[in-house]
């Protein structure tokens, strides 16, 4: 009986919990110490309905649309189901009730209490009560005989008793349990369970075993045990067919036995080892729900066995497949003596949940045999005396007849994802976020007191908060620096409407509204800079100006999923086809407005994680498209790699529990931040109290990021990816932060130099050359010096060749006219723009003079210029010799002499403040002594790299100070590159 244990969900606060299914198995109902009853459509339900029934709830039972609960106010209450409306008090005790249960028909409720009494109350008339007295301690559990003749109860006095209900007398009693003075001190809850249908066996958990007692004779006829069970069993539950018994223990062990063979057919362990205190079997037998003492809900799914598969035969005729009784329940016609596996109707991730158009569950015939399957027909061991000779008797499964027509058993289609608005919570919530983005928050309220929309801005300088009456029933919204855009679905009488509040308008009429054609509803909308867009159910995307002028419209290739806007960009995601096996087939389009209107992405597939769906779509604050799927993977558009999508973060790595999620609010590339709201046990945050925003870091999923090499590689490529927006913004005509761009380029070159030094230490010279190819020419010069002083002459020679190639490339990019204006600049030392791009408006920062410093002599400086020409290629490549350490000399810069400082002097300048901060009372002489001591602790490689870094950095600072210009990449007041 192989089963699947799904991740648990947080449902209640810490303490005792209980669980049950409704009659049809559509809902899972739980209660806990927080006084709430929660109604779950499935384990994946992110917004279960909650009903508060008291301070604490100890037990619950559900049948025939009536939910009864044992609350801490000493009462047993009735609520309607699933509405949750109070429907009176069934009975009262002098202390709190500890356990309640229905009989098979739902006409009676039995309740045990801490006042030692058991009451049996008629549902149709609560005044008709029978009280069973005889226990001398609080009641642990009660259970009805399926034939409604007997009732069994367990008590803290250590006994398990059987009562004759009508006569209110005790039939028998067994001293099986350890005594205690209260339920909370009991070693086990001892939840009794009577075999359904046949009613022949009473299951009693005793220590680590389950003892089976026969009805009428009240003799023990069997014991179920598991060698792996080391702690006491808390609860037991029979399968609906009466063939299997499930048990949950204090140590979190879940066990299922085949009662006939007494063999364990399923064994699962709680993911955290917490005590299982609630257990319920799905009415169709394929699923077990359980709860623990930490308030969590779990599901054991996919339970099946060859012994539980019903035989399938072909219909007598083809017409029998389509009879007139298509509306009958799915479980009708299933033999009462067999357990047919069933999935929870809310689980959409499994193919077995799909239902054909006829309305009946798809028949997959018998369950596949494996090494865990049991042939119960061959394992009969004389248990026939425990069952009646009626339809509940166990018989060997019949061989399945071969079908008379072909049966499709391939991949099943995935239900398409519905359209949604990024940054919003589900529309069925009474209090919800209609939009949360970097501009503000739009909240919607739809309850008995109010139906309104509140708009709040993060920056009140943009606009003051607004309160709008939602008389039209708007369901989707977007918010920008200019306007609020709202839309409502159409009805039989009214058309779907698009409403815009243009609060940034300079005139007095700040609102406009558009009615869509009949039968066409707005499904998604967004705002950009000066425009608005709405995608409709007619597969049309309509554009409007921010003032209400209708602009272009075009057809979408498929049903829209969501859209997003930023500046002059519009991002559209739609269904490009039908997905299979849990996959969504989504396509994406990226449109660029403005003067040059074009389509950047032409409907390429949107890459999602396996068996996931789209959760959020939008742009970073810098204008780069971004999205996140239901598995928590964040992907960013890499414009420099042909508009490919690159994963930059997995929010699941930051979640503490499997049921926790992060709800996306915004993405920023500078600083590198993912702004999310942590949701414990849910996918969406509540509106009240206002949730706090958490900041998550970016992290590319590179290999071996625990090593120094992997960390630097991840930092470098993350920096390259997240600073691509500078080039896009510049090409689009936007002003960019040149200082930030220069700093980013400098950081990238520093990382490359660090990786280069690491590769040299590891004797990876080929890898070092590969890294040098990514460097700028000035940093290649630094790498040449590092290789030379490290006595790696072959590496230095290859780097010299590489530097020459880079110099030729730069010469080819420069206009020939500018080269002829200042030919003498190539004889000077390199004073270019450092690690950033070379060249400036005045043409003074050319960088090919780095070759002069690598040549044996500087004779014929103009020959290099003439040989390069306008094509940037040399007729004869000069032989380059690795540099030896240069003597300390005065270097001429435009007739001004500057003396280069030693490595220690440069190090002292950068670290003087740190030394003085640690020792504020030191004199100048003492500061130098302390600095000498610290400098000597540096390794030789660190001194060399720092010194070479300063050679490049301070040479640029010298020229910048002479020309009265601060170099953007190596400002004179900046510290050296940290290595």
């Amino acid at each position: 009986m192989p089963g699947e244990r799904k991740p648990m969900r947080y449902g209640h606060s810490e303490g005792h919990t209980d669980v049950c299914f409704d009659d049809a198995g559509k809902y899972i109902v739980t209660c806990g110490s927080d006084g709430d009853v929660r109604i779950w459509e499935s384990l994946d339900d992110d917004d279960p309905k909650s009903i508060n029934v008291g301070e604490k709830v100890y037990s619950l039972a559900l049948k025939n649309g009536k939910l009864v609960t044992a609350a801490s106010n000493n009462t047993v209450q009735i609520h309607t189901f699933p509405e949750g409306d109070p429907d009176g008090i069934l009975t009262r005790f002098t202390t709190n009730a500890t356990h309640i249960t229905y009989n098979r028909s739902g006409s009676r409720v039995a309740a045990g209490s801490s006042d030692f009494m058991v009451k049996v109350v008629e549902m149709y008339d609560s005044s008709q009560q029978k009280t069973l007295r005889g226990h001398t301690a609080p009641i642990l559990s009660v259970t009805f005989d399926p034939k409604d003749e007997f009732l069994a109860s367990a008590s803290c006095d250590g006994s398990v008793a059987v009562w004759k209900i009508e006569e209110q007398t005790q039939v028998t009693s067994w001293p099986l349990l350890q005594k205690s003075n209260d339920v909370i001190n009991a070693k086990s809850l001892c939840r009794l369970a009577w075999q359904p249908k046949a009613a022949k066996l009473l299951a009693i958990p005793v220590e680590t075993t389950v003892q089976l007692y026969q009805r009428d004779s009240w003799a023990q006829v069997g014991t179920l045990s598991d060698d792996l069970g080391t702690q006491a069993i808390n609860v037991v539950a029979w399968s609906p067919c009466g063939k299997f018994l499930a048990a949950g223990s204090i140590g979190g062990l879940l066990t299922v036995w085949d009662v006939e063979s007494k063999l364990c057919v399923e064994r699962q362990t709680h993911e955290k080892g917490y005590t299982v205190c609630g257990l319920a079997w799905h009415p169709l037998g394929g699923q077990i729900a359980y709860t623990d003492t930490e308030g969590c809900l779990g599901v054991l799914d996919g339970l099946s066995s060859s012994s539980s598969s019903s035989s399938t035969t072909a219909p007598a005729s083809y017409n029998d497949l389509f009879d007139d009784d298509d509306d009958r329940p799915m479980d009708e016609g299933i033999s009462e003596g067999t357990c047919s596996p069933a999935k929870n109707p809310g689980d959409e991730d499994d193919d077995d949940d799909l239902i054909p158009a006829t309305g009946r569950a798809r028949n997959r015939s018998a369950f596949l045999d494996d090494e865990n399957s049991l042939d119960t027909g061959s394992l009969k061991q004389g248990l026939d005396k425990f069952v009646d000779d009626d339809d509940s008797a166990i018989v060997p499964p019949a061989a399945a007849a071969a079908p008379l027509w072909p049966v499709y058993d391939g991949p099943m289609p995935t239900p398409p994802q519905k359209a949604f608005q990024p940054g919003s919570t589900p529309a069925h919530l009474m209090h919800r976020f209609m939009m949360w983005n970097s501009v503000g928050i739009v909240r919607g309220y739809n309850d008995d007191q109010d139906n309104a929309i509140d708009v709040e801005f993060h920056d009140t300088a943009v606009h003051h908060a607004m309160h709008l009456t939602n008389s039209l029933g708007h369901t989707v919204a977007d918010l920008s620096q200019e306007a609020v855009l709202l839309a409502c679905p159409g009805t039989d009488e009214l058309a779907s409407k698009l409403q815009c509040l243009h609060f940034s308008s300079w005139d007095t009429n700040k609102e406009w509204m558009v009615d869509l054609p009949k039968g066409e509803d707005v499904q998604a909308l967004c705002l950009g800079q000066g425009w608005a867009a709405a995608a409709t159910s007619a597969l049309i995307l309509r554009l409007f100006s921010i003032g209400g002028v209708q602009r272009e419209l075009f057809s979408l290739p498929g049903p829209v999923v969501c859209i997003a806007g930023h500046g002059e960009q519009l991002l559209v995601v739609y269904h490009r086809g039908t997905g299979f096996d849990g996959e969504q087939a989504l396509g994406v389009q990226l449109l660029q407005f403005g003067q040059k209107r074009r389509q950047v992405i032409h409907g390429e597939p949107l890459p999602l994680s396996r068996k996931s769906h789209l959760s959020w779509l939008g742009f970073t604050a810098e204008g780069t498209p971004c999205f996140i799927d239901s598995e928590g993977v964040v992907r960013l558009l890499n414009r420099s790699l042909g508009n490919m999508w690159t994963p930059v973060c997995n929010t699941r790595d930051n979640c503490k529990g499997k049921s926790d999620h992060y709800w996306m609010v915004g993405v920023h590339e500078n600083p590198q931040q993912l702004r999310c709201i942590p949701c414990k046990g849910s996918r969406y945050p509540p509106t009240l109290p206002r949730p706090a925003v958490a900041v998550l870091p970016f992290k590319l999923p590179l290999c071996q990021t625990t090593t120094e090499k992997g960390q630097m590689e991840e930092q470098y490529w993350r920096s390259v990816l997240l600073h691509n927006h500078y080039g896009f913004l510049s090409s689009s005509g936007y002003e960019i932060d040149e200082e930030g761009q220069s700093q980013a380029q400098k950081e990238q070159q520093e990382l490359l130099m660090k990786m280069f030094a690491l590769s040299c230490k590891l004797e990876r010279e080929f890898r070092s050359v590969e890294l040098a190819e990514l460097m700028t020419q000035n940093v290649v010069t630094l790498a040449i010096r590092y290789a030379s002083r490290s006595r790696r002459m072959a590496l230095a020679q290859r780097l010299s060749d590489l530097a020459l190639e880079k110099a030729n490339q730069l010469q080819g990019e420069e206009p020939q006219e500018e080269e002829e204006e200042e030919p003498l600049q190539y004889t000077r030392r390199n004073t270019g723009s450092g690690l950033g791009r070379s060249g400036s408006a005045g043409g003074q920062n050319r960088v090919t003079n780095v070759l002069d410093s690598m040549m044996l002599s500087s004779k014929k400086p103009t020959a290099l210029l003439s040989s390069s020409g306008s094509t940037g290629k040399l007729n004869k490549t000069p032989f380059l010799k690795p540099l030896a350490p240069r003597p300390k000399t005065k270097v001429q810069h435009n007739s001004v002499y500057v003396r280069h400082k030693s490595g220690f002097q440069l190090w002292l300048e950068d670290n003087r403040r740190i030394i003085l901060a640690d020792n504020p009372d030191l004199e100048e002489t003492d500061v130098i002594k302390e600095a000498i001591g610290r400098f000597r602790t540096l390794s030789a490689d660190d001194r060399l790299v720092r010194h070479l870094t300063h050679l490049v950095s301070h040479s640029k600072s010298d020229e910048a100070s002479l020309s009265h210009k601060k170099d953007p990449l190596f400002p004179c007041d900046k510290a050296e590159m940290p290595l």
Side-chain angles (χ1 to χ4, degrees):
M1 181 179 279
E4 175 189 1
R5 177 175 60 81
K6 294 190 175 181
M8 301 194 71
R9 294 291 307 275
Y10 175 80
H12 301 274
S13 59
E14 181 180 355
H16 176 76
T17 55
D18 203 358
V19 63
C20 69
F21 284 94
D22 70 323
D23 297 334
K26 183 179 179 182
Y27 298 102
I28 304 175
V29 188
T30 61
C31 67
S33 298
D34 52 8
D36 290 337
V37 173
R38 288 189 169 87
I39 303 172
W40 308 72
E41 293 186 2
S42 68
L43 190 65
D44 297 327
D45 188 357
D46 294 320
D47 184 40
K49 183 176 182 179
S50 182
I51 307 169
N52 186 268
V53 298
E55 184 178 350
K56 291 184 178 181
V57 185
Y58 298 104
S59 181
L60 82 168
L62 175 60
K63 219 171 191 64
N64 301 334
K66 296 293 183 180
L67 175 67
V68 292
T69 56
S72 56
N73 57 359
N74 306 342
T75 63
V76 176
Q77 305 175 27
I78 307 175
H79 289 77
T80 61
F81 184 85
E83 295 81 7
D85 298 328
D87 198 21
I89 295 177
L90 187 63
T91 187
R92 297 179 185 271
F93 292 93
T94 56
T95 60
N96 56 281
T98 56
H99 189 228
I100 54 177
T101 185
Y102 269 106
N103 65 351
R104 182 177 182 181
S105 64
S107 60
R108 287 176 171 178
V109 171
S113 171
S114 294
D115 61 5
F116 314 164
M117 291 192 301
V118 177
K119 291 184 178 181
V120 179
V121 187
E122 301 290 339
M123 283 296 295
Y124 67 90
D125 184 4
S126 60
S127 63
Q128 301 295 321
Q129 299 186 6
K130 292 180 174 61
T131 303
L132 308 178
R133 294 181 174 88
H135 285 296
T136 59
I139 307 300
L140 291 172
S141 68
V142 292
T143 181
F144 273 106
D145 163 25
K147 296 185 178 180
D148 218 14
E149 181 180 358
F150 299 104
L151 182 139
S153 62
S155 172
C156 291
D157 59 12
S159 67
V160 176
V162 178
W163 309 80
K164 190 84 168 181
I165 298 176
E166 296 301 325
E167 299 177 3
Q168 304 181 40
T169 57
Q170 190 176 106
V171 176
T172 186
S173 178
W174 304 284
L176 302 174
L177 312 177
Q178 183 176 332
K179 294 183 179 181
S180 61
N181 59 359
D182 199 357
V183 176
I184 60 174
N185 299 323
K187 187 176 181 180
S188 167
L189 293 177
C190 192
R191 293 287 197 241
L192 310 173
W194 219 304
Q195 184 184 28
K197 296 182 175 62
K200 283 295 185 180
L201 299 175
L202 173 64
I204 304 174
V206 180
E207 296 294 337
T208 60
T209 65
V210 178
Q211 297 184 6
L212 302 177
Y213 287 80
Q214 186 178 7
R215 191 176 187 273
D216 295 331
S217 68
W218 311 116
Q220 183 179 351
V221 294
T223 301
L224 304 176
S225 63
D226 185 7
D227 294 338
L228 298 182
T230 59
Q231 299 196 53
I233 294 176
N234 222 18
V235 291
V236 295
W238 286 90
S239 63
C241 61
K243 293 182 179 181
F244 303 100
L245 184 71
S249 70
I250 292 177
L253 182 65
L254 293 168
T255 311
V256 180
W257 289 279
D258 185 316
V259 177
E260 180 182 5
S261 63
K262 297 187 179 65
L263 295 179
C264 175
V265 295
E266 180 67 34
R267 184 188 295 112
Q268 293 284 349
T269 304
H270 189 288
E271 59 185 40
K272 293 186 178 179
Y274 296 147
T275 297
V276 177
C277 54
L279 197 65
W281 211 300
H282 193 280
L284 299 184
Q287 187 182 77
I288 293 176
Y290 59 96
T291 56
D292 59 27
T293 53
E294 295 295 318
C296 294
L297 167 68
V299 166
L300 185 60
D301 211 344
L303 300 175
S304 62
S305 172
S306 59
S307 63
S308 63
S309 61
S310 57
S311 60
T312 59
T313 57
S317 65
Y318 187 80
N319 292 332
D320 292 341
L321 290 174
F322 307 97
D323 54 15
D324 295 331
D325 194 16
D326 283 343
D327 295 329
R328 64 181 182 172
M330 291 182 186
D331 56 344
E332 185 177 329
I334 298 177
S335 172
E336 293 183 351
T338 61
C339 283
S340 175
K343 301 287 184 184
N344 192 318
D347 295 339
E348 298 178 2
D349 293 334
D350 199 313
D351 295 339
D352 293 339
D353 300 336
L354 298 174
I355 300 174
T358 58
R360 300 180 184 176
R362 188 175 69 184
N363 183 9
R364 291 242 180 180
S365 187
F367 304 105
L368 298 179
D369 292 332
D370 56 22
E371 63 273 15
N372 296 322
S373 300
L374 299 174
D375 184 4
T376 57
S378 63
L379 292 175
K380 287 193 174 182
Q381 300 176 355
L383 200 65
D384 295 340
K385 59 182 179 178
F386 304 143
V387 297
D388 288 339
D389 294 329
D390 55 8
D391 56 355
S392 63
I394 303 176
V395 296
L404 300 180
W405 56 89
V407 177
Y408 176 75
D409 198 25
M412 297 304 299
T414 303
Q417 180 180 357
K418 296 182 180 179
F420 72 99
Q421 188 72 8
S424 67
T425 52
H428 68 270
L429 300 177
M430 289 188 296
H431 294 183
R432 58 183 289 252
F433 292 112
M434 300 180 70
M435 175 54 60
W436 187 324
N437 58 19
S438 59
V439 179
I441 304 172
V442 181
R443 293 186 181 88
Y445 304 93
N446 185 14
D447 50 27
D448 297 336
Q449 289 78 22
D450 196 8
N451 187 2
I453 296 174
D454 286 342
V455 182
E456 173 187 346
F457 294 87
H458 299 315
D459 184 4
T460 55
V462 176
H463 198 271
H464 59 78
M466 295 185 290
H467 180 81
L468 311 174
T469 302
N470 191 12
S471 58
L472 296 176
H474 293 302
T475 56
V476 290
D478 197 10
L479 180 64
S480 71
Q481 300 277 357
E482 300 175 307
V484 179
L485 190 63
L486 305 166
C488 63
T491 62
D492 295 338
E493 297 81 13
L494 300 176
S496 177
K497 298 180 183 295
L498 185 69
Q499 182 178 4
C500 181
L501 302 177
H502 185 200
F503 53 79
S504 65
S505 174
W506 49 266
D507 66 358
T508 57
N509 295 322
K510 300 180 181 297
E511 179 179 344
W512 56 268
M513 187 180 301
V514 173
D515 289 352
L516 269 65
K518 187 176 181 180
E520 184 176 349
D521 290 340
V522 175
Q523 293 185 325
L525 51 80
C526 68
L527 286 166
Q529 185 176 359
W531 56 269
T536 70
S537 58
L539 305 186
I540 294 177
L541 195 142
R542 300 178 179 272
L543 293 175
F544 302 85
S545 71
I546 198 65
V549 178
Q550 297 190 59
R551 293 173 50 181
E552 298 88 347
L553 59 85
F554 58 89
S555 294
L556 295 174
V560 68
V561 177
C562 59
I563 61 176
H566 182 277
E568 297 176 345
Q569 301 179 85
L570 173 62
L571 192 63
V572 183
V573 173
Y574 58 90
H575 289 284
R576 61 183 179 89
T578 300
F580 289 87
D581 286 341
E583 306 286 346
Q584 296 287 335
L586 304 182
V588 58
Q589 291 180 338
L590 178 60
L591 292 87
Q592 182 78 35
F593 299 146
Q595 295 181 353
K596 297 181 180 180
R597 300 193 177 190
R598 60 193 181 98
Q599 188 172 355
V600 181
I601 300 179
H602 303 265
E604 282 83 357
L606 186 71
L608 299 174
S609 302
R610 288 279 297 165
K611 295 188 177 181
S612 67
H613 58 269
L614 185 63
S615 295
W616 184 87
L617 180 76
F619 291 84
T620 66
E622 292 76 14
T624 304
C626 177
F627 74 90
I628 180 173
D629 59 33
S630 57
E631 292 298 319
V633 179
V634 183
R635 292 178 174 87
L636 204 68
L637 186 70
N638 191 345
R639 300 184 191 271
S640 64
L641 198 62
N643 292 326
M644 305 297 288
W645 297 93
T646 302
V648 294
C649 179
N650 190 342
T651 61
R652 300 289 296 165
D653 295 340
N654 299 276
C655 295
K656 296 181 179 179
K658 293 184 178 180
S659 300
D660 299 341
H661 297 84
Y662 280 95
W663 191 66
M664 184 68 70
V665 172
V667 183
H668 292 253
E669 296 178 76
N670 189 19
Q672 300 177 12
Q673 292 180 352
L674 290 169
R675 300 185 181 181
C676 312
I677 296 176
C679 304
K680 185 175 178 59
S682 176
R683 290 186 180 270
Y684 307 101
T687 55
L688 292 175
R690 178 169 178 165
V693 177
V695 175
L696 302 181
F698 287 91
K699 184 177 181 181
L700 301 185
L702 265 63
C703 301
Q704 295 181 330
T705 53
T706 56
T707 64
E708 183 180 6
K709 170 180 173 290
Q711 290 175 0
M712 288 190 291
E713 289 171 341
E714 191 274 335
Q715 292 175 17
Y716 173 76
W717 289 112
R718 170 159 46 88
S719 177
V720 171
L721 173 64
L722 297 179
H723 292 96
N724 283 337
H725 64 274
Y726 285 120
F728 168 74
L729 294 176
S730 178
S731 62
S732 300
Y734 291 95
E735 294 183 0
I736 61 173
D737 181 10
E738 295 183 357
E739 182 178 355
Q741 184 182 17
S742 301
Q743 183 64 28
Q745 292 174 348
K746 179 181 178 181
E747 292 174 357
Q748 294 167 14
Q749 298 302 311
E750 289 176 358
L751 287 168
L752 288 173
M753 192 60 208
K754 289 180 181 179
M755 289 188 284
F756 177 86
L758 180 62
S759 298
C760 290
K761 291 180 181 179
L762 298 177
E763 304 291 337
R764 299 283 186 177
E765 295 189 359
F766 187 89
R767 181 186 298 170
S768 301
V769 175
E770 290 178 328
L771 291 169
E773 291 175 352
L774 301 174
M775 298 177 183
T776 60
Q777 188 192 21
N778 290 329
V779 183
V780 172
T781 305
L782 193 153
I784 294 173
R785 296 181 179 181
Y786 183 92
S788 300
R789 298 191 180 187
S790 300
R791 296 179 177 84
R792 303 181 187 277
M793 299 309 174
L795 175 61
Q797 182 61 45
R798 290 188 178 274
L799 294 178
S800 299
D801 296 340
L802 179 63
L804 183 61
E805 292 178 6
K806 290 183 176 287
N808 292 336
Q809 292 175 2
L810 289 176
Q811 287 181 357
E813 294 174 359
E814 293 289 340
Q816 185 176 0
E817 295 80 5
E818 295 183 2
E819 292 178 358
E820 294 175 354
E821 288 178 1
E822 298 179 359
L824 296 179
Q825 63 178 329
Y826 295 100
T827 63
R828 306 191 190 114
R829 282 200 54 174
N830 174 24
T831 55
S833 59
L835 301 179
R837 293 195 300 264
S838 62
S840 63
Q844 297 179 356
N845 292 331
R846 293 189 175 86
V847 294
T848 43
N849 60 348
V850 66
L851 297 178
D852 297 351
S853 63
M854 293 185 290
M855 311 259 295
L856 201 59
S857 81
S858 58
K859 295 181 179 180
K860 298 181 181 180
T862 57
L864 178 63
L865 175 64
S866 60
S867 63
S868 62
S870 60
T871 61
K873 295 183 180 179
L874 293 174
N875 296 328
K876 182 178 180 181
T877 303
F879 175 76
L880 299 181
K881 190 173 182 179
L883 281 175
R886 296 178 63 88
K888 300 177 182 179
T889 59
K890 296 180 181 180
V891 182
Q892 183 176 3
H893 292 279
N894 294 337
S895 301
V896 178
Y897 292 91
V898 180
R899 179 181 297 275
H900 285 293
K901 299 179 181 179
S902 67
F904 170 73
Q905 291 174 327
L906 297 173
W907 183 89
L908 178 59
E909 289 180 359
D910 293 333
N911 293 272
R912 179 184 294 275
R913 292 182 181 178
I914 300 176
I915 296 174
L916 291 176
D918 296 339
N919 304 279
D921 299 330
L922 293 180
E923 298 292 338
E924 179 63 24
T925 305
D926 297 329
V927 170
I928 295 176
K929 290 180 180 180
E930 177 68 19
I932 292 174
R934 295 191 182 187
F935 186 75
R936 286 177 177 175
T937 60
L938 298 177
S939 64
D941 290 334
D942 289 341
R943 295 184 192 179
L944 178 59
V945 172
R946 290 175 180 271
H947 179 65
L948 292 175
T949 304
H950 280 292
L951 286 179
V952 177
S953 175
H954 284 266
S955 65
K956 294 167 177 44
S957 301
D958 296 340
E959 182 177 357
S961 61
L962 293 173
S963 60
H964 302 287
K965 292 183 179 180
K966 179 181 288 188
D967 189 276
L969 299 183
F970 282 97
C972 59
D973 58 343
K974 294 290 183 180
E976 64 177 320
M977 293 190 296
L979 294 179

